[in-house]
Amino acid sequence: MHECPRLRECAFFQEKMGAMPLSTEILKDQYCRSNYAVCARYVVFQSLGKDGIPQDLFPNEPKRAREILSHA
Ligand code: SF4
């Protein structure tokens, strides 16, 4: 169980994405505070850097992350 190294700068974790889902805290527990390596935002960050992360990408969107990377 490790915290994501991007907690302080991540728009999702800092709740700066606009409308946040009711499941925000659950997602933070599932991804940000534990299994961040499979977070869609983190996966995109690893390949494209912070500028490659869509503002509205949520941690539980791995399919969308794969699509973004396949078109990069
Ligand atoms: S949403 Fe993903 S990249 Fe952002 S802090 Fe959580 S685990 Fe890290």
Side-chain angles (χ1 to χ4, degrees):
M1 301 279 272
H2 296 287
E3 284 188 347
C4 177
R6 306 205 68 250
L7 291 185
R8 288 188 189 152
E9 54 189 330
C10 178
F12 173 78
F13 194 82
Q14 297 298 329
E15 301 190 19
K16 292 179 178 168
M17 292 173 65
M20 299 296 289
L22 292 175
S23 57
T24 293
E25 280 305 315
I26 295 170
L27 292 174
K28 285 182 179 180
D29 282 342
Q30 285 181 338
Y31 293 94
C32 312
R33 299 185 181 107
S34 55
N35 203 11
Y36 68 86
V38 298
C39 164
R41 293 182 69 90
Y42 192 78
V43 167
V44 173
F45 169 77
Q46 286 283 80
S47 292
L48 304 180
K50 65 180 181 180
D51 293 338
I53 308 169
Q55 176 73 13
D56 61 350
L57 181 65
F58 285 96
N60 60 342
E61 295 186 300
K63 184 175 175 216
R64 191 171 163 211
R66 284 194 296 274
E67 288 169 359
I68 292 165
L69 296 181
S70 72
H71 291 109

